[in-house]
Amino acid sequence: LAGKVVSGIPEDDPRNPATIADNVGDNVGDVAGMGSDLFGSFAEATCAALVVAAQSGSLIAQGGWAGLMFPVAISGGGILVCLVCSFIATHIQPVKKEVDIEKVLKVQLGATTIILTVVVYILAYIFLPSKFQINAVSGTVINFTPTKAWGCTIAGLWSGCMIGFITEYYTSHSYKPVREVAQACETGAATNIIYGLALGYKSTIIPVGILAGIVFVAFSLMDMYGVALAALGMLGTLSTCLAIDVYGPICDNAGGIAEMAEMPETVREKTDALDAAGNTTAAIGKGFAIGSACLVGLALFGAFVTRAGLNLASVSLVSPLIFASLIFGAMIPYWFSAMTMKSVGQAANEMVKEVARQFREIPGLLEGTPGHAPPDHAKCIAISTDASLREMIAPAVLVMTTPLLFGIFLGVDAVAGLLAGAISSSIQMAISASNTGGAWDNAKKYVEKGSVVIDGVVQRKGSELHKAAVVGDTVGDPLKDTSGPALNILMKLMAIISLVFADFFMSINNGQGYFNIPRRVF
């Protein structure tokens, strides 16, 4: 905002005091933030599978410690497979020309998925007994086999890969959807915003359909244990996906450093090519993170249901308490997103004012006069750091206290409805927000490449069309970098808190809360 919109200078121009804060933000957001999010999914999916498996006396009696540790074996096998497959990009098929960058990264992800499919099959027959039983949510006992466990795991594994590539289709300027958004900038920022929002809404259809299919298949095969294994399967290629995702911000920062150091244009062209591939791989990583968060949230929900001893009768949708809680839960992601979006807006407002102050008070800074005093980068970094810590409190309190209050006062049935509503609503919002923001970002880059031609005139930086694209990119940043990824945390955190406090909730009026609302149906 401070550079491109207010002062009309390039994004990474060394005159802009906020450029270092931008580079630091890429690092903590897309590297540390995404890494901690996926690590949390990894740990929580494992915990959910272990909690459900521990309820099976049959599995423990016949499979022993090895049978119980099958979820951990999937995680360990995935790490080793990803380690071996990392040599594809470094030794077997290294990048030799620009067009190979994206291809090599995708081949590595595909190879990891194929090899892990075989490895999980072997692990299933090594760790699990030939036949065992687990108590289903319905109260019946279901017979399981290693083949069913393998089927649930690879359903998650391959769906993660599919969701990643579908996300790429909707966010990469190599494909039609983003090019349509770029073309819509011809008539101004408003049509750009409209097209971008429509793209985001449409991009939820296939990923949500895939996730719904996985849940149905995994639950049909192995009940809630199957859902937890599907989540672990999707996270099996975590090491490769995270490496591919982190590649994007590294290249973005390299381009920023080249611009700030005023290096030759040829250097910037190379970093732009790397950054373009990085945008695509970052989109794959975001889609993967959202899909896995949804399955992990469901797996934790299943662990909560198991721990609280709920059955089909107690969590029926025709119960007024459950239905009311579900509607309230579906609203939580909107409340949460409103908080995070406004926080970004407030911090950006402070940053723009600080940059304007420096341009005004430091002689020759905006004009680039030789010998001018350096900009105060530290002040801009402090603004964003302070804002991120301060503005984190209210959304965190919302997410952490809602399931606690519902469990204490309304009981475990209400918590089950709350979680169902929050997870189903969050997944739609997260996919839509991330893809909308990614599409606006790459539509702007598509314009900057000179790929949009209006009435025979190539539209480049500085044109009215480019200004409209910049507005979309600016609006999209808090969607794809804050609200969208943060909803991953919301899905998992509400579920894990409910699971941890399940026994406490059950101790209050036998799980019906202090209000002791009787169970009844419409």
Side-chain angles (χ1 to χ4, degrees):
L1 272 173
K4 293 181 290 186
V5 178
V6 178
S7 304
I9 60 177
E11 184 174 0
D12 295 308
D13 195 293
R15 294 172 290 173
N16 189 343
T19 50
I20 301 297
D22 181 27
N23 287 343
V24 172
D26 285 340
N27 198 358
V28 297
D30 290 338
V31 179
M34 183 66 77
S36 60
D37 177 13
L38 288 169
F39 173 77
S41 295
F42 204 48
E44 288 157 6
T46 306
C47 289
L50 291 172
V51 168
V52 177
Q55 309 301 314
S56 170
S58 168
L59 174 59
I60 296 170
Q62 297 175 50
W65 182 251
L68 189 62
M69 288 295 109
F70 175 62
V72 181
I74 296 173
S75 305
I79 292 171
L80 292 176
V81 169
C82 291
L83 179 64
V84 170
C85 289
S86 66
F87 291 104
I88 293 173
T90 56
H91 293 77
I92 300 170
Q93 193 183 10
V95 175
K96 295 181 179 176
K97 52 185 184 292
E98 185 179 312
V99 294
D100 288 342
I101 301 169
E102 212 171 294
K103 177 186 169 187
V104 168
L105 293 170
K106 290 179 182 176
V107 165
Q108 184 176 340
L109 179 58
T112 306
T113 305
I114 293 168
I115 295 172
L116 191 56
T117 301
V118 178
V119 169
V120 171
Y121 185 83
I122 296 168
L123 290 173
Y125 276 89
I126 291 174
F127 281 82
L128 294 174
S130 57
K131 195 174 182 181
F132 60 99
Q133 293 82 37
I134 285 182
N135 292 327
V137 176
S138 61
T140 58
V141 176
I142 304 178
N143 293 318
F144 296 141
T145 63
T147 305
K148 284 185 177 182
W150 173 74
C152 293
T153 308
I154 65 161
L157 175 66
W158 280 96
S159 65
C161 199
M162 289 166 62
I163 289 171
F165 287 122
I166 290 163
T167 304
E168 179 210 353
Y169 172 75
Y170 280 104
T171 56
S172 171
H173 59 54
S174 301
Y175 304 103
K176 185 180 176 182
V178 171
R179 294 184 177 186
E180 284 182 345
V181 173
Q183 203 72 35
C185 296
E186 178 186 358
T187 49
T191 46
N192 178 27
I193 301 292
I194 293 167
Y195 267 70
L197 289 172
L199 179 148
Y201 297 150
K202 189 176 179 182
S203 69
T204 63
I205 299 170
I206 301 176
V208 169
I210 290 172
L211 288 168
I214 296 166
V215 171
F216 181 80
V217 170
F219 193 88
S220 299
L221 288 175
M222 299 187 75
D223 208 76
M224 280 301 184
Y225 189 53
V227 175
L229 290 181
L232 277 172
M234 188 177 284
L235 290 160
T237 56
L238 172 66
S239 304
T240 296
C241 283
L242 193 56
I244 288 174
D245 180 65
V246 168
Y247 166 88
I250 291 172
C251 296
D252 189 11
N253 279 357
I257 292 169
E259 179 82 29
M260 286 185 283
E262 298 179 344
M263 298 180 79
E265 191 63 30
T266 52
V267 175
R268 184 69 208 214
E269 286 173 5
K270 287 184 174 66
T271 59
D272 281 348
L274 294 168
D275 188 23
N279 277 331
T280 299
T281 57
I284 293 174
K286 280 191 172 69
F288 172 83
I290 294 166
S292 62
C294 174
L295 285 183
V296 169
L298 284 170
L300 290 167
F301 173 71
F304 167 75
V305 167
T306 303
R307 190 72 182 169
L310 296 174
N311 53 44
L312 287 178
S314 59
V315 289
S316 170
L317 274 180
V318 293
S319 161
L321 178 61
I322 297 281
F323 199 81
S325 301
L326 189 146
I327 293 173
F328 190 90
M331 175 275 299
I332 294 293
Y334 290 88
W335 189 354
F336 180 83
S337 296
M339 288 180 172
T340 54
M341 290 285 286
K342 188 175 180 182
S343 297
V344 172
Q346 289 173 339
N349 199 20
E350 287 182 51
M351 188 82 75
V352 169
K353 289 178 180 177
E354 171 59 24
V355 171
R357 183 194 66 78
Q358 293 193 35
F359 281 149
R360 187 174 60 252
E361 296 180 5
I362 301 177
L365 177 60
L366 181 58
E367 296 78 14
T369 307
H372 67 74
D376 186 0
H377 297 114
K379 179 65 176 173
C380 293
I381 295 171
I383 287 172
S384 57
T385 305
D386 291 347
S388 67
L389 294 172
R390 182 180 67 249
E391 299 295 329
M392 175 181 72
I393 297 170
V397 169
L398 171 68
V399 174
M400 295 172 71
T401 56
T402 305
L404 288 175
L405 293 174
F406 266 63
I408 292 168
F409 292 103
L410 301 175
V412 289
D413 294 6
V415 175
L418 179 78
L419 293 180
I423 292 170
S424 59
S425 178
S426 293
I427 186 64
Q428 329 284 338
M429 283 196 72
I431 294 172
S432 174
S434 293
N435 290 352
T436 295
W440 277 328
D441 185 4
N442 281 336
K444 181 204 70 175
K445 286 184 169 63
Y446 188 64
V447 173
E448 290 175 347
K449 279 178 62 181
S451 300
V452 178
V453 180
I454 305 294
D455 297 330
V457 179
V458 177
Q459 305 294 312
R460 298 186 183 276
K461 285 185 178 181
S463 65
E464 289 301 314
L465 187 139
H466 179 252
K467 290 177 183 176
V470 166
V471 172
D473 178 36
T474 309
V475 174
D477 277 342
L479 287 173
K480 71 180 174 67
D481 294 330
T482 305
S483 293
L487 287 169
N488 298 346
I489 311 294
L490 181 145
M491 284 186 266
K492 296 179 293 185
L493 188 55
M494 287 183 70
I496 195 75
I497 286 175
S498 302
L499 172 60
V500 169
F501 285 91
D503 288 346
F504 170 62
F505 298 155
M506 287 300 295
S507 70
I508 303 172
N509 285 328
N510 197 29
Q512 291 185 257
Y514 280 124
F515 292 164
N516 201 16
I517 299 174
R519 286 172 173 158
R520 61 178 186 271
V521 297
F522 287 116

